[in-house]
Every structure is written in structure tokens, then in C-alpha cells.
Amino acid sequence: MKPKIVLRPGDPNDANRDYLPEAIKESRMVVNENGNNSQPYPPKLLEFTGDIVGDGLSDVWYEYVPDSYDPQKKTPLVFSMHGGLMTGWGQCIYTSWTYVAEREGFICVFPSAHARRFWQIMCEEELKEELSADNPAGIFLNDFPEDIRENHDANLVLALLERMKRRYNIDEGRVYMQGMSLGNAMTHMMSKFYAHKFAAMAGSAGPARRTLLYRADGAPDHRSLPVDVWQTRMELDGPPPACREEIEDVVAYNRRYWMQINQCDPLPKIRLSGENNFAFFTGKAANYVLRDVKNRDHGQTFDDAELVWDYLFSGARRAEDGTIVHEETALPRENDAVSLAAVAGCGRAWLNGQIVDMPGKAFLWQKLKYHGLNGGQIVRGEYLMLPMSFLASAFQGGFERSEDGRSAEMTVSGKTFQTAQGSIGAVVNNRITDMDCEAVLREGELYISGEWFLREIIGYQVSRCKGGMYGTDHETRLSIQMTRLLSELLKG
């Protein structure tokens, strides 16, 4: 039986608004905000210093070995990389890696960047110039040498990997890395050059700029083997510094980059659970996971470590021949058992994990309130309209329309439902009720509010976002990036 996770109580410091309060170190203080939430400083987190790279520079790193560690067994190793202006111990307390490590028996290492708490990552001259101008005190990204072998922070990771293999019984095929913000950028850089040393890599926030992903000829700039990748995106996050593109576009081309590297099937498995929006892509070479978190800012959620382990790290192994071997994960990467999603402007829908055609495109329709004597009008609601005939077929119902197509009746889920063009009313089991808005006739098809139908007739829970709608049998909150992905899928 696996050890039981027990959260330790901390002393909240709600008045503190520092990015990383130094007083947290080796204390019981906890800090909570929308991007990061902390745990009390783990008593078993050990600090080490020394010239581990062998270039005359002294580094700091933190190791966590769980009580459940068995030196007789091959043990997985997880690197977790901090964000800019943070530390290794800061990354530890802002994640749940140590809790998951106790249950699963793996070891964690939390390195600290060598210079100014910033990783020595790849960085374009334009970005360095802008950050230098915005931060006259000298806080900017460190210079990146042309030869990755001269990158001190990359060499620190490699040296720590060798150290951990000497000190502990590390399973070389089960070494992983996860990072947040600038730590995500560091994780991406390591994946570009040293993916062959890892089975899977994950990051939260901080998507890469296009110029760091693609060469001038448009080809992906990847210099190692394919690797399983997880990207957590925060719905309220912004684009990278000095980037002129919208965050939705940045996230989209990061997704496409890894799908191309890992040779992924374009059709994912989609699962929404509360604020979590998951898209699981299966690849011929390696897998890719997109997680978008509704209503969260730049940072990482406290449960990100748990989800990354359960859905990805737990089932990925790098074989001796360099390929990624996939085993059963702690949680299965599956579609929602039942779901219906649609996006305005698309003539196809997402139905129970498959893309299906509709007889017409979904569109947004506004319910108006007229002011009478005062004139003018107010929009009281906007709804995604779907063809009534499609909704009947989606749920294996009967459907009949009048000769002129201006009224229709369906029988579905044990209910008989009838409405007509221009009517906000519907007759359900011979009783009159209001819909969200009036039925609309367009190109011979009678349209009704898809949200109303799923909620009132089928009994689904429905969420809306930027012209998209997702309905299923449990609570969900459709996010911006998932709506973008659905739009791309449904437009083909």
C-alpha cells in the first residue's frame, strides 16, 4: 500500500505580497495568491552548495528524499526548475512535488539558477535589450553562449543528474523535468538539446516565443530526440516579454511545435474537469498534453505536480535505444465519456470524442430588450445557436419538421419538444416553457440555443467561452485555450 499523503498546517501570512518572502525559508509560513500557493517548508529538504560543474563557480541546490525511498529499487528522479527571481527552495514550497514524492517513492532535486536568480536561457537580442531598458537595476536574462556546452546552468543540470545517480539508485530511464515561468523556459531549452536524457518534460506558464521554436526556414529547431511534453497554460496569463503576439497565438504555435516533433495525431482526447481543460495527444514518437486552467494567472497551481505525475510522468520511460516507452499511467488519459462542444462559425461539432458534421454552421444570437417609448435596445444575452435537427440526431432522437420548415418537433431522452420560428417558447411534454432566446430559421434549418437544449432537455452542465460551448455530465469551465483548440479542430 502506498504511503498516505497528509498536508502539514502552516501559518498564513495574508498581509505579505512579496514575490518570494525570504522569511518563508525553514519556517511554517505559507503564502497564497492566484498564481502560486505554498506549503510549509519541508523539514527533509536539504540544501547543498559547491562547485559541482567543475568550472570554479559555486552553485546551490536542494534535494528531497522521501521516507518511502527504497535504495534497493530503481527510483525515478524529478528536476523542478524555479521561475525568475525565485530559488530552488522557493520552487519546492510553491509545488506539491514533495508530497507526491512521499507517496510514489521518487526523489526530487530543486536547483537554483547561478546568477541573479535567472536561468541562463536562450534569449533573442531584442528581448535582452527591452528587459535591460525596463530594468536599469540590471535584472535581465543572462547572456546565452552560442555553444550549449558552455552554458553553466545547463551543465549544472547535467552535473546534478550524475551526482544523483552516484548517491541514489536512480532509474536512468525515468528522469523527468518540470519548470515554472522562466523555469519552463529552462525546461524547454534542456528539451531542445538534452531531451535524450529525460523521459518526459513539463512546464507551467511562460510559453516560448516563435523565434525560439522555429528556424528561419520554418522548420522546428529541435536538436535532440522526441520527448513526452506537458504544457500547463493559465487562462489569464500574458504573452512572453517583448512579444507582440496574442497569448492565444503563442500557446497555439507552442502546441503545434511539439505535435510536429512528437508526430502526434491531430485529434486529441479531451477532458474537462472543473477549471482544468485537458487535451491529450498521442504521438508516434512521443505524447503531448495541453492543460489550460480557467481563471488563473501566471504561475503554477499547487496540484500541477500531482496532475503531471498522474497523467504523464508515471507512464513514460526512456528506453536504452532512445525511444519513449509508454506504460499505464496513474490516471488514464481519456475523453469525457459524454460531451458535446461547438464553436461559432464552425459547421462541425465535437460529440463524445469525435468530430461530426452539422447541417449548418453554429452562430451567436443576441436576445434583445427593446426600450419602447425611449427607443433603442439592450443586449440581454448572447447564445450559441445549433441546428435542431443535428441535436436530435446527436442524441438518437426522433425529428419531424413542418413542410415549410418553420416549426419542428423532436423526441429525445424521454421528452417531446416542439418549437417554431421566432418563438422563445417551447412545448416540452405538452407544457409551455421559455428557451434562452427565440428559435431562428436560417438556410432551411431551425436553430435553437444549444446551451438551453443541453441543460434543460439532456440534463448536461454547460459552460461557455468566447463563442465556444462545452456540455457534459459533470461540472466544467471551458477555457480560452480549449476554445481555440476546438475551433481549430472543428474548422479542420
Side-chain angles (χ1 to χ4, degrees):
M1 181 180 295
K2 292 183 177 181
K4 181 180 179 181
I5 291 179
V6 179
L7 297 177
R8 294 174 293 111
D11 299 326
N13 185 353
D14 296 330
N16 178 80
R17 288 297 178 264
D18 290 340
Y19 182 55
L20 181 65
E22 295 299 317
I24 286 184
K25 189 176 182 182
E26 298 178 352
S27 78
R28 290 168 49 89
M29 184 192 303
V30 292
V31 176
N32 296 286
E33 46 132 335
N34 192 251
N36 298 300
N37 302 275
S38 68
Q39 60 160 305
Y41 198 93
K44 294 199 299 291
L45 184 65
L46 300 180
E47 180 180 288
F48 295 88
T49 61
D51 177 12
I52 189 173
V53 175
D55 58 2
L57 301 176
S58 182
D59 283 293
V60 181
W61 69 93
Y62 299 82
E63 298 176 13
Y64 187 88
V65 181
D67 290 337
S68 55
Y69 169 64
D70 183 350
Q72 302 303 313
K73 296 180 179 179
K74 286 290 186 181
T75 302
L77 174 65
V78 173
F79 282 82
S80 190
M81 317 301 284
H82 66 75
L85 295 175
M86 286 181 64
T87 61
W89 66 261
Q91 176 68 0
C92 174
I93 66 167
Y94 275 172
T95 71
S96 55
W97 278 118
T98 56
Y99 284 118
V100 183
E102 288 290 349
R103 187 190 67 209
E104 301 295 336
F106 59 79
I107 294 174
C108 298
V109 59
F110 303 92
S112 289
H114 177 75
R116 298 189 302 276
R117 297 188 175 184
F118 274 84
W119 296 108
Q120 190 179 22
I121 64 164
M122 300 179 72
C123 178
E124 309 94 321
E125 288 301 321
E126 174 192 3
L127 177 56
K128 283 196 289 187
E129 292 175 4
E130 180 161 331
L131 289 175
S132 298
D134 289 346
N135 297 277
I139 300 175
F140 54 87
L141 303 184
N142 304 321
D143 290 335
F144 179 79
E146 293 184 6
D147 190 339
I148 187 65
R149 293 172 295 181
E150 298 177 6
N151 185 299
H152 177 82
D153 286 338
N155 290 334
L156 169 61
V157 171
L158 300 179
L160 282 173
L161 176 55
E162 295 305 313
R163 167 190 165 89
M164 301 304 283
K165 289 193 294 186
R166 291 192 302 269
R167 285 172 58 88
Y168 308 104
N169 190 2
I170 298 298
D171 186 342
E172 293 188 48
R174 300 196 67 195
V175 179
Y176 312 98
M177 179 176 283
Q178 177 268 342
M180 188 276 288
S181 188
L182 188 60
N184 174 62
M186 181 65 182
T187 300
H188 172 75
M189 186 183 74
M190 293 301 295
S191 72
K192 180 190 292 286
F193 294 97
Y194 297 110
H196 57 281
K197 292 183 177 293
F198 299 87
M201 312 187 86
S204 178
R209 292 159 57 103
R210 190 189 303 268
T211 49
L212 293 181
L213 298 174
Y214 297 96
R215 299 195 297 263
D217 63 0
D221 187 10
H222 188 69
R223 309 179 198 182
S224 185
L225 297 176
V227 62
D228 273 15
V229 169
W230 172 293
Q231 292 183 327
T232 292
R233 301 307 182 207
M234 303 298 190
E235 187 188 48
L236 302 182
D237 200 1
C243 182
R244 306 291 181 251
E245 298 177 283
E246 296 293 332
I247 182 63
E248 292 176 56
D249 295 326
V250 178
V251 170
Y253 59 66
N254 273 261
R255 163 169 48 86
R256 295 173 192 143
Y257 171 87
W258 280 111
M259 289 178 64
Q260 189 171 357
I261 296 298
N262 292 344
Q263 303 172 50
C264 291
D265 188 310
L267 192 68
K269 295 179 179 177
I270 291 177
R271 176 169 176 77
L272 273 62
S273 177
E275 294 183 338
N276 290 312
N277 288 239
F278 296 107
F280 304 112
F281 291 86
T282 300
K284 293 179 180 178
N287 295 330
Y288 171 76
V289 179
L290 172 67
R291 173 193 177 216
D292 194 33
V293 189
K294 184 75 175 177
N295 195 36
R296 294 297 293 263
D297 295 301
H298 185 81
Q300 59 193 339
T301 63
F302 190 65
D303 65 352
D304 196 59
E306 175 75 66
L307 295 171
V308 167
W309 179 265
D310 286 348
Y311 281 118
L312 191 69
F313 286 5
S314 61
R317 176 187 298 275
R318 177 77 71 178
E320 291 185 2
D321 65 0
T323 60
I324 298 294
V325 177
H326 292 115
E327 303 166 351
E328 185 177 354
T329 52
L331 290 178
R333 295 191 291 262
E334 297 177 338
N335 282 302
D336 280 323
V338 293
S339 62
L340 191 152
V343 180
C346 298
R348 301 192 294 175
W350 180 266
L351 179 63
N352 301 332
Q354 300 294 325
I355 295 175
V356 297
D357 291 327
M358 296 190 295
K361 291 183 179 180
F363 62 89
L364 293 174
W365 186 259
Q366 294 179 338
K367 179 168 67 175
L368 303 177
K369 167 65 177 177
Y370 295 94
H371 271 232
L373 294 176
N374 295 324
Q377 59 194 31
I378 299 174
V379 176
R380 291 301 193 192
E382 188 174 60
Y383 305 98
L384 187 66
M385 307 294 283
L386 301 180
M388 191 172 167
S389 61
F390 162 72
L391 293 170
S393 64
F395 293 93
Q396 295 81 50
F399 179 77
E400 292 184 14
R401 72 179 91 211
S402 62
E403 287 189 18
D404 58 9
R406 298 177 63 192
S407 67
E409 180 176 285
M410 74 163 76
T411 302
V412 64
S413 296
K415 299 175 182 177
T416 298
F417 159 56
Q418 185 268 333
T419 191
Q421 179 188 11
S423 176
I424 199 171
V427 179
V428 180
N429 291 345
N430 207 34
R431 301 185 68 85
I432 293 178
T433 187
D434 268 7
M435 298 187 290
D436 288 337
C437 62
E438 68 270 27
V440 176
L441 186 66
R442 182 170 289 188
E443 296 181 354
E445 289 290 333
L446 197 60
Y447 283 75
I448 61 173
S449 162
E451 180 179 353
W452 177 86
F453 175 83
L454 292 179
R455 185 181 64 242
E456 300 297 331
I457 303 300
I458 304 301
Y460 278 4
Q461 297 192 47
V462 186
S463 59
R464 288 272 312 279
C465 180
K466 295 192 72 170
M469 177 197 76
Y470 191 94
T472 187
D473 59 0
H474 56 272
E475 181 189 8
T476 62
R477 298 183 184 93
L478 181 63
S479 68
I480 290 175
Q481 300 299 344
M482 181 57 70
T483 301
R484 169 65 176 264
L485 173 58
L486 286 167
S487 178
E488 291 182 13
L489 292 170
L490 300 181
K491 287 179 179 177

